[in-house]
Amino acid sequence: MTGKTAKWIMHVDMDAFFAAVEQRDRPECRGRPVVVGAQPGRRGVVATCSYEARVFGIRSAMPISEAYRRCPDAIYLKPDMSRYAEASRQVMAVLESISPEIEPVSVDEAYLEISGLERLYGSPHAIAGLVKERIWQRVGLSCSVGVGPNRLIAKLASEHNKPDGLTVIPAPQVEAFLNPMPLSNLRGVGPQTLKTVQRLGIRTVGQLRELPAELLNSYFGENMGGSLYRQARGLGSDQVGVRGGRQSISKETTFNEDITDRERLRGTLRSLASEVGHSLRQAGLMGRVVTLKLRLGGFETHTRQRRLPVASDSDAMLFQLAWELFISSPFVDRPIRLIGIGISDWGDGSGETLDLFASGAGRERERRLYSMLDNAAERFGEGKLSLGVPTRKQNK
């Protein structure tokens, strides 16, 4: 891929970011299995872990009790988000020194547009090497870098040789790169999708490419079927820092009279979170910023926001955060005329996570339930069913 028309997108992914910061700052953690997340003996999950801990089969979102059973001698640490945020700012400053076109997608990863920078820094491989060197020298952390003609290939390339990897995939080599790849590496391929594809005798991306679009659409619907068809051919966006289309998704309810009943407000908010989650999944979107909207008497309107560590389309997480915003607000005991929930700042769900709301198995079970609820919503309309306590439909 040469000449002025060459398009190069880079994806930079920090290696075991939270755990790596701990190992950098705590000499006693270096070379040891380190688990960041909930503490043993308490409910919660692993946020992330060092590569030494992954040898024992520990992974993100695993129940902390299971992690402790696998490796009781690991060092278990509570997350220190202020230090991780500072390290993230340092990493992003390094990336901004390389390219003006940068799009952070979580605290530990970002996309860069590096097309045309060859005259300044050399080949794409040389630019990737420069990024790794500067991050190591200035921040003291390792990263994995992938470069390709679009975001999809850059992301897959950065995952290819973790940790401390560097993989460049020119356009003519995309299909050869994808051919042996397991289907689970593709975006949006969960356990149920994987089972369905495997029942068709498909195990690799190369085999998936042989299936016609009509067959994929018949099995998975146009959204997922089209995504699989495009990914198998290495097709993806080559835009960085450009956010077109829908900027947010929100739902709200206006009550016939002002209310203070917390259970009614809670049930309404849960129903609204279910509708927003359904809309997200239908649009194939995941968001990072949850917004709670409240209107009191006299059209006095307030909003509260919280940013997620990683993008999500989970009804449960949307509701949990929105409810926490409500009960911690100064308006909790005041009459409410309108309540609403929204989400924005799209991402792909990758990166480090502090999802302490469910275990890994629980999240897979939740995903299956969402699929059932989404199907029911298509048949019977939104608001009829939701994940959790029954809710009452309000006037809108």
Side-chain angles (χ1 to χ4, degrees), residues 20 45 103 108 123 134 150 155-156 162 168 170 178 181 183 201 262 269 320-321 332 371:
V45 300
E103 182 184 330
D108 68 327
S123 69
R134 286 191 181 178
N150 57 54
K155 172 76 170 175
L156 293 173
K162 286 184 72 70
V168 178
L178 293 174
M181 191 173 289
L183 298 173
R262 288 196 188 184
L269 194 60
Q320 181 80 15
L321 293 184
V332 65
S371 179

Side-chain angles (χ1 to χ4, degrees), residues 23-315:
Q23 290 182 316
R24 181 197 66 182
D25 297 345
R26 299 173 184 250
E28 69 275 16
C29 292
R30 294 169 192 166
R32 295 279 307 280
V34 174
V35 178
V36 179
Q39 292 294 290
R42 297 178 179 271
R43 295 182 62 184
V45 300
V46 175
T48 193
C49 61
S50 67
Y51 285 92
E52 293 87 349
R54 298 181 192 194
V55 172
F56 296 89
I58 300 174
R59 64 182 187 280
S60 299
M62 174 180 283
I64 202 69
S65 57
E66 175 63 16
Y68 187 77
R69 186 189 69 78
R70 290 172 181 248
C71 188
D73 295 328
I75 299 174
Y76 290 85
L77 300 172
K78 294 180 180 179
D80 186 342
M81 292 306 296
S82 63
R83 281 196 296 125
Y84 308 153
E86 176 58 28
S88 177
R89 284 191 289 270
Q90 294 171 350
V91 169
M92 298 307 165
V94 170
L95 300 182
E96 289 172 354
S97 74
I98 300 293
S99 171
E101 299 294 331
I102 172 177
E103 182 184 330
V105 293
S106 71
V107 294
D108 68 327
E109 62 176 316
Y111 289 97
L112 287 78
E113 162 76 75
I114 62 169
S115 307
L117 297 182
E118 292 93 331
R119 292 182 180 179
L120 285 175
Y121 303 115
S123 69
H125 191 281
I127 298 171
L130 179 62
V131 165
K132 289 171 61 65
E133 180 183 4
R134 286 191 181 178
I135 290 177
W136 177 256
Q137 289 179 345
R138 300 182 187 181
V139 193
L141 299 172
S142 72
C143 64
S144 295
V145 178
V147 183
N150 57 54
R151 294 167 69 107
L152 171 68
I153 301 305
K155 172 76 170 175
L156 293 173
S158 72
E159 296 171 348
H160 187 59
N161 285 315
K162 286 184 72 70
D164 201 22
L166 194 168
T167 304
V168 178
I169 307 297
Q173 298 176 19
V174 164
E175 290 195 358
F177 171 65
L178 293 174
N179 282 342
M181 191 173 289
L183 298 173
S184 57
N185 285 21
L186 298 182
R187 309 300 97 177
V189 177
Q192 294 307 308
T193 300
L194 191 60
K195 287 179 182 178
T196 301
V197 177
Q198 289 177 342
R199 281 198 295 268
L200 298 174
I202 305 300
R203 296 291 184 273
T204 67
V205 176
Q207 293 173 327
L208 179 67
R209 195 181 306 120
E210 302 299 319
L211 298 183
E214 294 78 10
L215 180 61
L216 290 173
N217 291 344
S218 69
Y219 273 97
F220 304 104
E222 291 187 4
N223 286 341
M224 190 61 199
S227 175
L228 292 173
Y229 183 85
R230 291 188 297 273
Q231 289 188 73
R233 286 154 180 77
L235 303 177
S237 171
D238 62 4
Q239 300 299 305
V240 171
V242 177
R243 296 176 182 273
R246 196 169 187 177
Q247 297 300 304
S248 65
I249 292 176
S250 62
K251 300 287 183 179
E252 59 188 39
T253 287
T254 299
F255 300 103
N256 291 328
E257 58 184 15
D258 298 355
I259 67 170
T260 58
D261 184 341
R262 288 196 188 184
E263 285 306 307
R264 187 177 177 190
L265 290 167
R266 189 173 188 271
T268 300
L269 194 60
R270 185 186 292 274
S271 179
L272 294 173
S274 178
E275 292 184 36
V276 171
H278 174 67
S279 297
L280 282 170
R281 293 185 293 273
Q282 288 298 103
L285 296 171
M286 305 176 85
R288 299 188 196 88
V289 176
V290 176
T291 300
L292 172 71
K293 179 179 179 181
L294 298 171
R295 179 168 295 159
L296 313 179
F299 292 96
E300 180 184 343
T301 304
H302 301 271
T303 60
R304 293 289 186 272
Q305 289 187 334
R306 181 175 295 179
R307 186 177 183 85
L308 298 168
V310 65
S312 176
D313 61 0
S314 164
D315 298 7

